[in-house]
């Protein structure tokens, strides 16, 4: 049921809203007594990234102890790419619009008697919007911090397709029937966290991990009522993102005169 997704989404957004409220109060208080001033870290930022994705599919091989990393290949392992535009409203709060591609490929499990141990390929194109909240104010000290942890949560829509098959003699693929029409649409809720490493006023690099909750059980072309995270096919992706600010600003700190 997608009710779990709704609950987790509401929980994450509550945390984000709380962080925004606390930051607004903290910034208002500090701005009155701070002996330093700066230019605001705001504006448009271009985002690009790439990484790997792992699908929580309905394949039945989950024995990491017996097969090492085999379950990752059975569940669906692939690559992801993303492009986006972020608008920094303040040094703490940003809005992100993103276009993402996730491709998955799964191998058959070792237990060929299990009907769910089949190979499949799937791909999803996702358009989403997210709120990004820095957990630390970059300008809370005497100098700008170079590493900032952040969290994000959003909502989007995915267009996806999938096909499953068996591998016969000589590596020949035996295609299985699609269990629904493709391409299909699904809702997606991405929640994640990362570390923003700033190399200059224009460029920063962030390793990021996201958990993507979906409203579909057909990303692997096989429906099932039972799964580690419920019925639907959710997935995790890890990526490296590059942030580029076209109109980079220099941050200047000036100490006020003491009288």
């Amino acid at each position: 049921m997608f009710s779990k997704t709704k609950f987790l989404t509401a929980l994450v957004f509550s945390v984000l809203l709380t962080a925004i409220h606390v930051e607004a109060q903290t910034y208002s208080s500090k701005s009155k007594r701070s002996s330093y001033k700066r230019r605001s870290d705001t504006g448009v930022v271009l985002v690009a990234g790439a990484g790997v994705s792992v699908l929580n599919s309905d394949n039945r091989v989950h024995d990491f102890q017996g097969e090492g990393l085999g379950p990752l290949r059975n569940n669906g392992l692939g690559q992801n790419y993303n492009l986006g535009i972020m608008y920094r409203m303040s040094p703490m709060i940003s809005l992100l619009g993103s276009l993402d591609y996730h491709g998955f490929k799964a191998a058959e499990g070792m237990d060929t008697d299990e009907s769910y141990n089949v190979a499949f390929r799937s791909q999803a194109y996702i358009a989403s919007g997210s709120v990004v909240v820095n957990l630390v104010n970059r300008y809370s000290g005497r100098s700008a911090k170079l590493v900032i942890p952040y969290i994000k949560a959003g909502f989007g829509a995915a267009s996806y397709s999938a096909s499953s098959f068996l591998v016969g003699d000589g590596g020949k693929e035996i295609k299985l029937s699609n269990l629904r029409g493709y391409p299909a649409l699904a809702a997606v809720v991405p929640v994640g966290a990362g570390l923003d490493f700033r190399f200059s006023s224009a460029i920063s690099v962030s390793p990021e991990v996201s958990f993507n909750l979906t409203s579909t059980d057909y990303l692997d072309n096989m429906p099932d009522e039972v799964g580690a995270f419920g019925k639907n096919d959710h997935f995790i992706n890890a990526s490296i993102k590059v942030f580029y600010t076209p109109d980079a600003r220099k941050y200047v700190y000036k100490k006020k005169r003491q009288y």
Side-chain angles (χ1 to χ4, degrees):
M1 300 293 292
F2 202 49
S3 58
K4 292 183 179 180
T5 301
K6 292 180 179 178
F7 171 76
L8 290 174
T9 305
L11 179 62
V12 172
F13 272 107
S14 296
V15 173
L16 290 175
L17 290 175
T18 300
I20 293 172
H21 178 68
V22 171
E23 165 58 18
Q25 289 184 327
T26 302
Y27 179 78
S28 176
S29 175
K30 286 184 176 181
S31 63
K32 295 178 181 179
R33 64 177 184 271
S34 175
S35 60
Y36 291 85
K37 63 181 180 179
R38 58 168 176 77
R39 296 180 182 178
S40 296
D41 184 12
T42 59
V44 175
V45 180
L46 304 181
V47 184
V52 296
S53 299
V54 179
L55 181 66
N56 176 48
S57 74
D58 296 317
N59 264 7
R60 286 292 187 237
V61 181
H62 301 295
D63 184 9
F64 282 88
Q65 189 173 19
E67 294 193 32
L69 296 179
L72 295 181
R73 294 190 295 270
N74 299 140
N75 278 318
L77 181 65
Q79 69 282 355
N80 69 71
Y81 305 98
N82 58 81
L83 293 173
I85 297 178
M86 185 167 71
Y87 180 71
R88 288 191 178 123
M89 302 174 62
S90 74
M92 292 290 287
I93 310 298
S94 301
L95 300 178
L96 172 66
S98 182
L99 295 175
D100 299 68
Y101 168 82
H102 298 269
F104 304 97
K105 183 177 181 180
E108 291 180 43
M110 296 178 64
D111 184 4
T112 55
D113 293 333
E114 175 57 64
S115 61
Y116 281 90
N117 283 341
V118 300
F120 67 84
R121 297 189 187 92
S122 63
Q123 57 184 5
Y125 297 88
I126 301 173
S128 65
S130 301
V131 177
V132 182
V133 177
N134 290 343
L135 299 181
V136 177
N137 191 325
R138 190 182 297 276
Y139 303 98
S140 59
R142 290 178 174 268
S143 60
K145 295 178 176 61
L146 299 180
V147 182
I148 298 295
Y150 64 87
I151 57 175
K152 73 169 189 177
F155 186 82
S159 173
Y160 69 94
S161 59
S163 62
S164 52
F165 55 92
L166 298 173
V167 179
D169 295 337
K172 183 179 180 180
E173 295 184 359
I174 305 172
K175 191 176 186 304
L176 302 178
S177 299
N178 290 341
L179 298 185
R180 66 160 303 162
Y182 299 109
L185 297 177
V188 179
V189 176
V191 295
L195 293 173
D196 183 6
F197 292 82
R198 176 159 292 188
F199 291 94
S200 70
S201 60
I203 296 177
S204 62
V205 176
S206 299
E208 181 181 292
V209 176
S210 295
F211 183 51
N212 301 270
L213 299 100
T214 79
S215 63
T216 181
D217 192 25
Y218 289 89
L219 275 176
D220 50 12
N221 194 43
M222 55 179 88
D224 188 24
E225 294 293 335
V226 181
F229 297 97
K231 174 183 175 182
N232 295 332
D233 296 328
H234 311 307
F235 60 92
I236 296 175
N237 68 277
S239 61
I240 299 295
K241 292 186 173 182
V242 177
F243 297 85
Y244 172 67
T245 305
D247 185 22
R249 299 180 180 183
K250 296 180 180 179
Y251 309 108
V252 180
Y253 294 82
K254 295 181 180 179
K255 192 172 183 179
K256 293 180 179 180
R257 294 181 179 180
Q258 302 295 329
Y259 296 97

